[in-house]
Amino acid sequence: MHLIIRSATLADAAVLTDLSAITMREAFGPPHNPAELVDEYIASSITQPILEAELLDARSTFFMMVLPDGIPIGYAKLRKHTPPRRMKQRNAIEIQRIYLLQSQIGQGQGRTLLQYCTDWARMQGYKAVWLGVWERNYRARAFYEKMGFKPFGFHYFQFGSERQRDLWLEKQLDA
């Protein structure tokens, strides 16, 4: 299957908002978390005005993965900011979000999208990438480790009204 990965623009805000909400429910909804908790998080963090502001933020870069017919199946958001203190490599960028529709997982699209993000970061001159992954998301953790990410710490993430622990993983980028 030929997939297209392209930069997302402000014109994609509505589609990106819907895709973000769907993938968030699929990844973190029941049985992992109560539906109300996921809905609370979406209402506070994944609205079209919030996504529009993020798309306009010069520190953020969004990529959308679409099928040849233009139907979106996943996206990623990279964000430029100071890496966590525990991270030795300071010339790094965060892969803040990377999600696929549940129906697409296990077919290689996640590997393709993640590789696209790391290649882009390398071309921008970064020496490493890092991301946070929910400690109870065992499938994602195994995927990232298989893709060469190594743990280096953790932080707490406010998910609706609940505080959850995310593990920090990093990957050094070869020249």
Side-chain angles (χ1 to χ4, degrees), residues 32-45:
H32 311 292
N33 289 287
E36 304 78 36
L37 188 65
V38 179
D39 290 342
E40 184 182 338
Y41 178 77
I42 289 170
S44 69
S45 302

Side-chain angles (χ1 to χ4, degrees), residues 41-70:
Y41 178 77
I42 289 170
S44 69
S45 302
I46 304 177
T47 65
Q48 188 165 334
I50 290 171
L51 267 287
E52 288 172 353
E54 291 179 344
L55 284 161
L56 292 171
D57 185 343
R59 297 168 297 178
S60 296
T61 301
F62 282 85
F63 298 112
M64 290 186 62
M65 179 178 262
V66 298
L67 296 173
D69 60 6

